[in-house]
Amino acid sequence: MDAIKNVAIVGASGDLGRRVLNALIKSGTFNVTVVKRASSSASFPDSVVVRTADLSSVESVTAAFEGQDAVVSTIGIEAVLGQSVLVEAAVAANVKRFLPSDFGCDMDNPKAGPLPVFGYKTAIHKALRDAAAAKPDFTYSLVCNGAFLDWGLEKNFLLNWMDSKPKLYDGGNNLFSATTLDTIGQAVVGVLKHPKETKNRFVYVKDIDVSQIQLLNIAKKVNPGKTYEEPIPFDTAALETSAYESLSKGQVTQEAMYSFLFRAIFGPPEYGARFTKTDNELLGVKGMTEADLEALFKSLNHGPK
Ligand SMILES: NC(=O)c1ccc[n+]([C@@H]2O[C@H](COP(=O)([O-])OP(=O)(O)OC[C@H]3O[C@@H](n4cnc5c(N)ncnc54)[C@H](OP(=O)(O)O)[C@@H]3O)[C@@H](O)[C@H]2O)c1
């Protein structure tokens, strides 16, 4: 496969998209085009070409993808299923590599993959496999980075360490893989620099394996003098059962979707949240030490009030 030179990114104004865009620009390797919605008021650096498209129209997106070797989608979760339009357009525009907006859990894992919270993403995987089978010049890579690390701490999501009562899932000792947004950007660049080695497969990257208890211990260390109360325990098996009950009653709630997510991230090892293999070396990712993690906490440093 020829080297990838022209790269389009869709969803570049999002939390992840901004960092992936920066990494693409910083690599100095690609001509970068941002494809954004007409309704988007986001602005981008002068070094990138900006095209506007109607993301619900194959014709409009095909025109925007014209001349691109690769498309990276970092589109928000509400728009994930709509990526079928992007896939169809990429095929029509002779794009060679498509990276969908995955960027999370290992959906190749037999326990995590079928969880309903990943239904839209796995539907796009099927569309990509079908497209690649029909047109072998069209290829894809599925980036698995585990939990967003810096984002997950900033949002109080991986551990609500900014509150005084931490929520611990399954005792908080299960390890999960986590990656900062900048490292994910680096991984995307690595995939595009190694199209042959990353063709039509899941690609794994992580900065660190960590547990909620480890996060809590670091939060305590960087916030001496602050008091955390007794943690609130959650059982991810019970959360999963009750989420399926909601769905069986036709209640597709955000709470149910979060419950599936907590099962996938904080649940037992068979859900594959801790990656046992990675492509870090291929992608040029060196990973993080516990000292780096502590420094990350300090840079965020909003312990309990
Ligand atoms: N692993 C984790 O812990 C974790 C955490 C959060 C998110 N994620 C994943 O990372 C990916 C990106 O998420 P994000 O939170 O960075 O995305 P986001 O900020 O919610 O949205 C990214 C961009 O998508 C574009 N977009 C196009 N159509 C849209 C629509 N109908 N509704 C909303 N946005 C639309 C917008 O860009 P324009 O305005 O430029 O068109 C928007 O800025 C998703 O796949 C998400 O599931 C993973």
Side-chain angles (χ1 to χ4, degrees):
M1 187 173 175
D2 292 342
I4 288 172
K5 200 69 205 154
N6 298 329
V7 178
I9 174 166
V10 190
S13 61
D15 289 338
L16 176 65
R18 289 263 169 214
R19 309 290 265 278
V20 172
L21 176 63
N22 280 346
L24 290 170
I25 296 169
K26 243 175 66 187
S27 78
T29 309
F30 311 109
N31 304 315
V32 183
T33 297
V34 165
V35 177
K36 66 171 190 173
R37 298 173 290 171
S39 59
S40 171
S41 56
S43 56
F44 299 97
D46 290 342
S47 59
V48 303
V49 173
V50 179
R51 293 180 183 167
T52 300
D54 172 357
L55 300 188
S56 63
S57 155
V58 174
E59 205 181 10
S60 170
V61 180
T62 303
F65 286 171
E66 216 54 63
Q68 301 302 317
D69 301 315
V71 168
V72 180
S73 169
T74 53
I75 219 157
I77 194 73
E78 306 88 341
V80 157
L81 192 60
Q83 289 178 115
S84 57
V85 172
L86 308 188
V87 174
E88 209 180 321
V91 172
N94 293 316
V95 167
K96 303 277 180 289
R97 176 64 50 94
F98 192 100
L99 277 64
S101 191
D102 274 11
F103 304 111
C105 296
D106 180 7
M107 285 171 268
D108 201 29
N109 176 282
K111 298 287 264 187
L115 290 171
V117 68
F118 303 127
Y120 288 170
K121 289 188 175 180
T122 52
I124 295 302
H125 295 176
K126 183 177 180 318
L128 288 166
R129 279 194 297 271
D130 290 350
K135 184 180 180 186
D137 277 353
F138 177 79
T139 63
Y140 61 87
S141 304
L142 311 171
V143 178
C144 295
N145 47 251
F148 286 3
L149 182 55
D150 42 357
W151 183 98
L153 292 174
E154 287 219 33
K155 306 273 182 202
N156 238 8
F157 175 76
L158 290 178
L159 177 74
N160 60 329
W161 63 293
M162 297 175 204
D163 309 331
S164 56
K165 267 181 167 298
K167 295 177 188 167
L168 292 184
Y169 294 82
D170 293 355
N173 280 307
N174 290 330
L175 288 171
F176 55 88
S177 298
T179 313
T180 64
L181 301 188
D182 282 340
T183 299
I184 299 170
Q186 200 185 336
V188 168
V189 168
V191 167
L192 298 175
K193 281 185 175 174
H194 297 93
K196 210 167 118 202
E197 298 90 331
T198 56
K199 177 181 164 184
N200 296 346
R201 70 171 178 92
F202 287 91
V203 178
Y204 295 87
V205 60
K206 66 178 174 185
D207 272 322
I208 196 162
D209 294 328
V210 72
S211 70
Q212 284 196 298
I213 292 280
Q214 285 172 341
L215 294 177
L216 181 57
N217 287 339
I218 299 175
K220 286 178 179 170
K221 193 171 166 190
V222 300
N223 290 291
K226 309 264 178 144
T227 313
Y228 284 100
E229 295 168 35
E230 196 57 31
I232 310 170
F234 287 88
D235 174 5
T236 64
L239 289 177
E240 184 183 3
T241 302
S242 108
Y244 274 118
E245 275 166 19
S246 295
L247 262 51
S248 71
K249 292 182 208 147
Q251 295 161 356
V252 186
T253 61
Q254 196 182 48
E255 189 187 341
M257 290 303 145
Y258 271 107
S259 295
F260 290 126
L261 211 49
F262 294 145
R263 183 69 166 150
I265 300 174
F266 304 127
E270 58 268 27
Y271 281 74
R274 185 181 79 82
F275 301 162
T276 50
K277 54 179 179 195
T278 75
D279 294 286
N280 278 12
E281 203 177 321
L282 174 74
L283 305 172
V285 166
K286 77 170 176 35
M288 243 184 189
T289 62
E290 189 156 332
D292 296 330
L293 184 54
E294 205 174 303
L296 173 63
F297 262 94
K298 282 183 184 150
S299 74
L300 304 170
N301 205 10
H302 328 277
K305 289 132 196 125

